Amino acid sequence: MYKFMDDENGERQPAATDTAQTGEGLILMKNIWKTYQMGVEELHALRDVSFSVNKGEYLAIIGPSGSGKSTLMNLIGCLDSPTKGDYWINGNLVSTMTDDELARIRNKEIGFVFQTFNLLARATALHNVELPLIYAGMGSGERYEKAQAALASVELGDRVGHKPNELSGGQRQRVAIARALVNHPSILLADEPTGALDSKTSVEIMALFEKLHAEGNTIIIVTHEHEVAERAHRVITIRDGRIENDEKIK
Amino acid sequence: MIRLLGSRFYENLMMALDTLRGNKLRSFLTIFGVVVGVITVMLISSIISGINVAVEKQVESFGTRSIFLYKFNIGFSTGRRSREERMRKPLTVEDSDAIKNLPSIETSVPFLDVSNNFWGSKILVTGRNGKSSSAVQLQGTLPEIEKTTTEVLMAGRWFSQSESDEKANVCLIGSSVVDTYFPYTDPVGEELDIGGTPFRVIGVLEKKEQLFGGGGGNNDQSNVIYMPLGAALKLKPNEDDLFILAVAREGMLDQAKDDVEDLLRVRRRVPYGQPNNFSMETAASIIEQFKSITAGVAAAMIVISSIGLMIGGIGVMNIMLVSVTERTREIGIRKAIGARQGDILLQFLIEAATLTGFGGLVGLLIGWLLTLLVKLVLPSYVPLWAPIAGFFASVGIGLVFGLWPAWKAARLDPIESLRYE
Ligand SMILES: Nc1ncnc2c1ncn2[C@@H]1O[C@H](COP(=O)(O)OP(=O)(O)OP(=O)(O)O)[C@@H](O)[C@H]1O
Ligand SMILES: [Mg+2]
C-alpha cells in the first residue's frame, strides 16, 4: 500500500522548502546532537555537528576510538535518529519521517557496509544481494539479473551460490558491498569496512571503493587507518563528538 | 500491487521453510500439539460419521415407511420417566387392527416382548445340543409381519393365520440363534425348548446389519425368536406391553402419520390441546434424534481438541518469541537494508503459520491413516469439512499466536538490533 504512495520521490512535503537550504547537497546536517542518558549522567556522543556532502564526493571520517564516528554514520544511514538537530538527505528532512519512510530511504538511497559484514548466515551470496531488491518489491526475474550483475561487479560472479561461511573475509565484504550497491543508492556508507580484514585484503577492498567512486558513486567511509583516509578526497576528523577538522585533500 | 504482495508472500514462504528446515527437531516439538489436535478432529469426525451411518442403516433396515408406536417415549432419552408417562395404558391388538384399516396404511403389526417372565427373570431357551441361554429376545407377533421389511426370511416360512389363531408353538429364529443352537444342522423342522415348552422352528431370518460390527451381547438384533402372539401370551399370560409397527403406503408416510396420530388420540381419549399419551417415531425421526446426540458429542469433542490446538498455539508463541530473540541481529540487518515493519511482521507471521500449517498437514496425514483403521470397524467416512477445518484451524493458530512475537520483531529498533550480541 505505502509502496504505492511514496514510489517516486515526487510528493514528499518538506522537499520543496528544504531544497533551498541544501543546494546541490546530497546530505546536510545542521546542529546535530546525539545524547545517551546513562543513569543521571548525560553522554554526548555527538555535539553540535554540522556539515554537508555533495554528490560524487569521497569522504573519510577519522578520529580516535569512542569519538562518535559510528554514531554519526548510523545517523547518516537513518539507522538511528538524532537527539537534536536537523538532517536532510536528497532534500528530504529525515527527522519528520515515519518508520516506513525511513525504511524506504535505507532501501533506496543508502547502501551500508558494516565492519562485521552483517550478511544473513543461512542465505547464499545471491540471496543476500537480492534482499534489498525484495524489499524494494522487485519481481524475481529482474532481481536475479541485478543481483548477478552486482556480484559480478565485485568479481564474485563465480561464488553466487556460496553461503557466508563458505567465503573468505574479503569475499564476504565484497558480497556486502554488492548488496549495498544493488539498488543504486545515492550514497554508499562504510563503517570501518576493512577493520576485520588483513592488510592485503584491505587493499583490495579499498581499490574497489576507488573504482566505485570513479564510476560516480558518492562514498563516506569511517576508518582508523591513515592509509585508508588518504585515498579519500576529503577528510573529516572527529574528536569528542565534535568536528575538529574538515579538509579537502584532492 | 497484488503481484507484488504475491511475490513477497512467496519469498517469505521460502524463507520460512528454510528456517523450519534449519530447526527440524525444534519445529517438530513445537507443532506436536497442533498435530494431535488435527488428528483428533479427523478421528472424531470419522467416528461420528461412522456411527451416524451405522445407525442410519440399522434404523432404515426397519423400513423407511415404518411408523413405530409405543406407550412410552421411544428414543435416546435418559433419566426417569415422568409420572404421567408411567401411568399410561398400553397399546392393544385392537389399536393395531384399527390402524391397519386406515387407507394410508399398508399394514400394521403388534409386537409383544416376552423375554422376561412374570417375575422379571429371563425366560430360558434350551436347544437339543444342550446349550441354554436367557439372552434371546422373545417376540410374539401376528402373520402380518410377513408384509413388513423388518425381518427378511432366509429359509422356511412365516406362520399362518390358522397357526396364529391356534396359538401354535412354532417359531422363526434369527441368525445368532441359529449360531447358538444349530451350528451344524438345518434348523427348520427342529425343536427348541422355550421356557419349558417345545417350539418347532419353521423359519430362519437373515442376519441383521449391526452397529459396531455385531457380535453377541444384549444388543444383538439377530438374537431373536418370533412366535405367534397367542403362543407368547401362554409363556407370559398377563403381558400387555405392546409395541406396534405400522407401514405406510408408498409415498403416504406423512399422511399416514397424521392419520395414525388422530386415530390413536381418539382411541386413547386424549383431550383436545393435550400432548399425545403415546409416542410415534419414524426411521427418519429416530435418525434425527440420534444425530442431534452425536452432534452434541461432536461439539464437546471439538471443544476438547481446540483446547489441544490452543496449547499447541502457546507452544508456537513460545518458540516464536525465542526465535525473535535469537534472530534479533538478522532483523536488524533486514531493517538496515530496507525492510519495513510490515515486511518483518509478515515474515514472522508466515513463519508461524507455515509451522502450524505444516503441523496441520502432518496431522491430516496421520489422522487420515487412522480413519482407515476406523473404517474396518465402522462404515465411516471423513466429512469434507474436517480436513478443511483442521488445516485452516492450524494455520489460524499460527497466525493468532504468531501475531504478538511478529509484532515484537517488527517493532525492534534497527540500530539496537544490529548491536545485539
Ligand atoms: N547505545 C549506546 N549507549 C550509550 N552510549 C553509547 C551507545 N553507543 C555509543 N555510545 C557512546 O558514544 C560514544 C561514541 O561511540 P561510537 O561508537 O560512535 O565511537 P566510534 O568513534 O565509532 O569508536 P570506534 O572507533 O571505537 O568504533 C562512545 O563513548 C560510546 O561509549
Ligand atoms: Mg565505530
Side-chain angles (χ1 to χ4, degrees), chain B residues 13-244:
Chain B
L13 187 66
M14 288 299 123
M15 290 193 284
L17 285 175
D18 244 27
T19 316
L20 301 192
R21 233 174 277 142
N23 291 312
K24 282 195 197 76
L25 179 65
R26 192 164 87 179
S27 303
F28 175 75
L29 292 176
T30 308
I31 61 178
F32 192 73
V34 176
V35 172
V36 171
V38 172
I39 290 177
T40 319
V41 170
M42 290 286 282
L43 268 185
I44 291 166
S45 67
S46 97
I47 289 173
I48 283 177
S49 79
I51 293 177
N52 280 344
V53 169
V55 167
E56 215 163 298
K57 268 193 184 167
Q58 183 159 16
V59 174
E60 278 177 354
S61 76
F62 292 111
T64 48
R65 284 186 286 142
S66 300
I67 301 170
F68 310 105
L69 299 157
Y70 190 48
K71 63 173 180 179
F72 294 145
N73 294 337
I74 309 174
F76 304 93
S77 59
T78 49
R80 260 172 75 83
R81 301 189 188 282
S82 70
R83 195 182 134 75
E84 180 275 328
E85 214 181 329
R86 278 179 282 128
M87 297 289 283
R88 287 176 187 177
K89 58 185 176 188
L91 295 166
T92 63
V93 176
E94 290 72 37
D95 289 333
S96 177
D97 285 340
I99 291 168
K100 192 165 71 178
N101 291 331
L102 287 168
S104 55
I105 291 292
E106 198 167 291
T107 191
S108 173
V109 207
F111 291 89
L112 192 67
D113 189 325
V114 292
S115 308
N116 302 312
N117 68 11
F118 181 70
W119 295 279
S121 57
K122 296 279 184 184
I123 290 178
L124 221 58
V125 178
T126 313
R128 281 287 149 79
N129 63 352
K131 286 252 170 76
S132 204
S133 165
S134 61
V136 189
Q137 239 193 88
L138 303 173
Q139 296 278 359
T141 183
L142 292 179
E144 282 83 0
I145 189 176
E146 194 172 352
K147 290 185 223 148
T148 72
T149 53
T150 321
E151 296 286 357
V152 182
L153 196 62
M154 205 168 68
R157 59 176 180 84
W158 286 99
F159 47 83
S160 65
Q161 187 63 51
S162 58
E163 280 169 321
S164 176
D165 294 343
E166 289 160 16
K167 304 170 185 175
N169 291 338
V170 292
C171 67
L172 292 95
I173 59 179
S175 64
S176 298
V177 179
V178 176
D179 293 344
T180 316
Y181 300 102
F182 308 101
Y184 306 116
T185 50
D186 178 8
V188 178
E190 299 293 322
E191 275 192 353
L192 268 179
D193 181 288
I194 304 175
T197 315
F199 276 71
R200 191 159 51 86
V201 178
I202 58 170
V204 177
L205 303 168
E206 218 168 62
K207 189 168 173 62
K208 294 201 93 174
E209 187 68 46
Q210 196 65 37
L211 198 57
F212 299 114
N218 291 333
N219 246 334
D220 184 356
Q221 302 282 330
S222 295
N223 199 11
V224 64
I225 297 180
Y226 292 97
M227 62 188 75
L229 191 62
L233 278 170
K234 285 192 291 181
L235 290 176
K236 194 177 178 186
N238 37 18
E239 179 59 66
D240 59 1
D241 200 6
L242 215 61
F243 175 89
I244 296 175

Side-chain angles (χ1 to χ4, degrees), chain A residues 69-71 115 191-192 222:
Chain A
K69 306 182 295 295
S70 295
T71 307
Q115 177 173 0
D191 189 352
E192 302 200 41
V222 165

Side-chain angles (χ1 to χ4, degrees), chain B residues 349-393:
Chain B
L349 272 187
I350 288 178
E351 211 170 291
T354 308
L355 191 68
T356 54
F358 181 72
L361 288 181
V362 171
L364 288 186
L365 186 72
I366 299 176
W368 178 71
L369 291 175
L370 290 177
T371 59
L372 293 185
L373 290 180
V374 173
K375 252 200 174 114
L376 299 177
V377 198
L378 278 175
S380 71
Y381 63 98
V382 181
L384 190 64
W385 63 262
I388 294 178
F391 180 71
F392 281 102

Side-chain angles (χ1 to χ4, degrees), chain A residues 34-38 43-46 61-74 80 115 191-192 222-224 238 241, chain B residues 415-416 419:
Chain A
K34 180 71 186 180
T35 308
Y36 293 107
Q37 197 72 45
M38 307 299 287
L43 194 154
H44 301 289
L46 291 175
I61 298 175
I62 58 169
S65 184
S67 55
K69 306 182 295 295
S70 295
T71 307
L72 181 59
M73 279 301 253
N74 294 336
D80 208 352
Q115 177 173 0
D191 189 352
E192 302 200 41
V222 165
T223 183
H224 268 114
I238 295 196
Chain B
I415 193 66
E416 272 165 28
R419 281 208 196 103

